[in-house]
Each structure stands twice: as structure tokens, then as C-alpha cells.
Amino acid sequence: MNNKLCETLKKLNINNIQITLDGEPKVHNARRKLRNGNQDTFNVILENLKIAKKENLNVNIRINIDTNNFISSERLLKILQDNDLNNFNIDLGYIENFNDLNCSNIIKKKDFFNYRLNFNNKLLKYGFKNSNLYPKQNILFCGAYSEQSFVINWNGDIYKCWSDIGNKKSSIGNININNLKILENKKYDLNYIFQSECSSCNILPICSGGCPHLYLKENDRNCSIYKFKLKEILQEQILKSEKEVKNGSYNNGK
């Protein structure tokens, strides 16, 4: 990341980017290694975030959470605050075992939902915007539904879902070859939602049917946090709004 790259992104009307930090430096660096050795990728990203802030790019910082780093996520917030980077949005990522690996550090979905609710208070503690969980209408669960959305691997292979990256059989083409598989481009469509239990679920408008990849692979709905924690989320939002009204900072849930 540098000023020239930021200007290029702006010219291309790319104003929103996502950057991953998976904990404090020692935790992140143990997970995000470069091919040529154990280099400090954390501080490189930290400096890139400072450039992005200076260039007024909208950045979403994603923290992929598992049983080994969820405690480290709060220390990461403190580091970002100390570097005056608490103006960015923070998003927690739930790690899925998409490729049937022997993973022992995946958090149970219920525990992740509880942690996500508690994480909102940590964001406020360190001066971040509260991660607004107030339910909103969601037209699409993810970009895989759209015929105009693609994930491109380092070698040019094109995929519909980032969970398929590296699985050559799931590639629908390559940017260096004019060979896009049109039918494969439409394998994630909305029809399955209305042919399943989702069609009668009262949170369908704010969920959009969950992960199509998991449904096709395992018939798993991967249901939204709102299906299990809607009452707690609404209660928390009411308390938050009451506090904002009292201190004059109420923003109508935005």
C-alpha cells in the first residue's frame, strides 16, 4: 500500500477495501506468514492502514476468530487505538472448516454468537464505532449469488466462492484465458432458498438464506445470528439508543 496505489484505487472507484488482522503482532504473524519466511506482516499492515486513513479510504478490518486468538482480539483493538486507527469498521469472521481438515480450534457457532455480542462493548471501550447489529434487510447473503461477482486467485483462476479457492475443480475459468464456464457461474442462485425451510422462516428478509456453498455441499443452512440472538440484539440496541439520547449523540441507529 502506498499513496500511488490509493490514487489508482480511487480512479477505479474502489473506495472500500477489507484488510485482515488476526490478533496482536505475535498471534497475527504466526498465522499470516510470507512464502519466504517468518516476517513481520502485522506492522506492514499497520503502516498500510495509516496510509489508507490519510487517503480517506474506507477500510473494514476483519478479525478471523477461533479458540486460539479470541482473547488476542481485544489487545489488537488497543493497538489500533494507540495508533489513532479506531475510525475503521471492525468485523469478526467466523472460521468454517470448508475443506474437511482436521481443525480442533474452531469455535462453536453458539459461542461465537455470544462473543460477537460481547465484542460490541469492547469496540466502544476503545473508541470504535459500535458494530451495529440492528437487523436490516439483506437482499443477498454474499456475492456468490451474483453473476457479476467473482473471486480471483493469485494465478488468475476464477471462482464464485472464496471457500473454493485452491480447489481446481471448482474454478469456472481463468482471467488469462477466455474460457468462463457460464453455467457454473450460475450454480449459486436464489431458487434453493424458496425450495427449503428458509421460505417460511421469519428472519429470511434479514438473512437471505445463509451460505449457498454450505447448503450445496452439506445441506447446512448456516443460519444467521438473528435466528438465535434476535431478542438480545434488540435489547442491546435499545439500551445503546437510550444512552445516546441521554448524552445527545443519538443517531437513529446509523
Side-chain angles (χ1 to χ4, degrees), residues 20-171:
T20 303
L21 282 172
D22 287 342
E24 61 189 309
K26 65 179 181 180
V27 174
H28 173 89
N29 289 335
R31 296 160 178 257
R32 300 289 180 168
K33 299 179 181 179
L34 299 180
R35 185 178 183 181
N36 57 355
N38 297 327
Q39 297 184 18
D40 182 3
T41 58
F42 181 93
N43 282 297
V44 172
I45 294 174
L46 197 67
E47 294 304 312
N48 289 343
L49 287 171
K50 294 177 182 178
I51 295 173
K53 179 180 179 179
K54 183 179 179 181
E55 296 294 332
N56 294 317
L57 282 177
N58 297 319
V59 177
N60 183 69
I61 299 175
R62 180 184 174 104
I63 310 173
N64 295 310
I65 295 295
D66 60 32
T67 57
N68 294 332
N69 75 333
F70 72 95
I71 295 177
S72 177
S73 63
E74 182 171 359
R75 292 194 282 268
L76 169 61
L77 296 183
K78 180 64 168 62
I79 293 172
L80 294 172
Q81 180 193 49
D82 291 343
N83 284 272
D84 196 25
L85 294 171
N86 52 356
N87 61 304
F88 294 133
N89 293 321
I90 304 289
D91 180 41
L92 293 183
Y94 178 71
I95 296 177
E96 305 267 9
N97 186 9
F98 284 111
N99 295 312
D100 302 320
L101 301 175
N102 185 21
C103 300
S104 60
N105 60 336
I106 294 179
I107 295 179
K108 294 180 180 179
K109 203 64 174 287
K110 181 180 179 180
D111 293 336
F112 175 76
F113 288 159
N114 289 330
Y115 183 78
R116 186 177 178 189
L117 287 176
N118 293 330
F119 190 74
N120 279 358
N121 294 326
K122 294 182 173 65
L123 289 173
L124 290 175
K125 176 182 176 181
Y126 293 101
F128 288 85
K129 296 178 181 179
N130 183 249
S131 180
N132 193 352
L133 290 176
Y134 190 83
K136 299 176 182 178
Q137 184 175 7
N138 187 20
I139 298 175
L140 294 176
F141 178 81
C142 70
Y145 288 121
S146 173
E147 292 184 34
Q148 286 76 43
S149 178
F150 304 96
V151 184
I152 302 175
N153 201 9
W154 64 269
N155 62 353
D157 284 343
I158 304 172
Y159 298 86
K160 288 302 298 177
C161 174
W162 56 25
S163 299
D164 286 330
I165 287 289
N167 182 359
K168 198 76 174 180
K169 293 181 180 179
S170 297
S171 172

Side-chain angles (χ1 to χ4, degrees), residues 182-224:
I182 301 300
L183 292 179
E184 285 296 307
N185 186 28
K186 299 180 180 180
K187 72 176 181 179
Y188 296 122
D189 60 37
L190 295 172
N191 290 330
Y192 82 88
I193 294 176
F194 304 105
Q195 298 170 357
S196 68
E197 64 271 25
C198 292
S199 60
S200 59
C201 180
N202 62 354
I203 69 161
L204 176 59
I206 57 177
C207 167
S208 296
C211 175
H213 177 94
L214 278 177
Y215 181 75
L216 290 177
K217 182 180 179 183
E218 303 174 8
N219 198 29
D220 183 352
R221 303 305 315 138
N222 192 26
C223 293
S224 164

